[in-house]
Amino acid sequence: MPDPTPTFEVSDRQRWMAVLARAAADDLSARLQACGALPGWRRLRGPDSGLVMVRGRIGGGGAPFNLGEMTVTRCTVRSECGFTGHAYVAGRDDRRAELAAAADAMLQDPQLRPLLERSVIHPLAAAQNERRSALSARAAATRVQFFAMQKMR
């Protein structure tokens, strides 16, 4: 059994969980296979699909309101090394949720973390940032600047 004391910062896990939650199943699978022989895992729960209420705020900081429901899939796995991984992903992709949970479990292992950070998390994060930048550039090209002009007296 692994040592129950985590050897990572909570912010590190939040970072890699965010990358895994946004990664496509095929990209995640290819990155994990490129790492070579990794420990197996077994499902503890799920994958299960369900709905969550998405909340918004008026103006980004005002009073909260219910925006609507969103489909999510969750999964929990335990690696052969004894680490438990969790994942919640948008949509109904069972495979994606299971792979993200497996990657989370393996990233908690101090021996596997450097390899997975280098081979899985960093490349996926770079690709996600590149897509976000391209989308922002396309949106910025359509920006209209409005100027308020005062009437001269």
Side-chain angles (χ1 to χ4, degrees):
M1 286 301 288
D3 181 12
T5 308
T7 60
F8 53 86
E9 295 293 323
V10 171
S11 60
D12 292 336
R13 189 169 187 203
Q14 289 172 337
R15 179 184 46 78
W16 80 56
M17 293 289 287
V19 171
L20 294 171
R22 289 189 300 262
D26 292 338
D27 294 341
L28 191 50
S29 177
R31 291 282 173 197
L32 287 172
Q33 287 176 358
C35 289
L38 293 172
W41 63 86
R42 66 181 176 89
R43 293 179 189 172
L44 296 180
R45 178 178 62 186
D48 302 315
S49 294
L51 296 173
V52 295
M53 181 60 66
V54 178
R55 301 202 48 149
R57 289 188 177 269
I58 297 169
F65 64 95
N66 292 338
L67 187 62
E69 292 178 330
M70 175 179 149
T71 305
V72 296
T73 303
R74 70 178 180 183
C75 188
T76 301
V77 302
R78 177 160 294 139
S79 71
E80 289 176 349
C81 300
F83 293 94
T84 303
H86 306 278
Y88 282 79
V89 298
R92 301 178 57 93
D93 192 340
D94 292 352
R95 180 172 167 250
R96 183 173 150 215
E98 185 174 352
L99 289 171
D104 175 46
M106 289 183 272
L107 280 158
Q108 293 176 53
D109 187 340
Q111 278 102 24
L112 292 174
R113 188 175 316 121
L115 169 67
L116 292 171
E117 284 271 357
R118 185 177 57 252
S119 302
V120 178
I121 300 301
H122 292 265
L124 288 175
Q128 290 169 6
N129 287 337
E130 189 175 308
R131 280 194 299 274
R132 189 177 304 114
S133 295
L135 183 62
S136 294
R138 267 196 352 241
T142 64
R143 180 185 294 167
V144 177
Q145 299 280 337
F146 292 97
F147 295 97
M149 299 181 66
Q150 281 186 331
K151 258 174 109 178
M152 293 187 67
R153 292 187 184 214

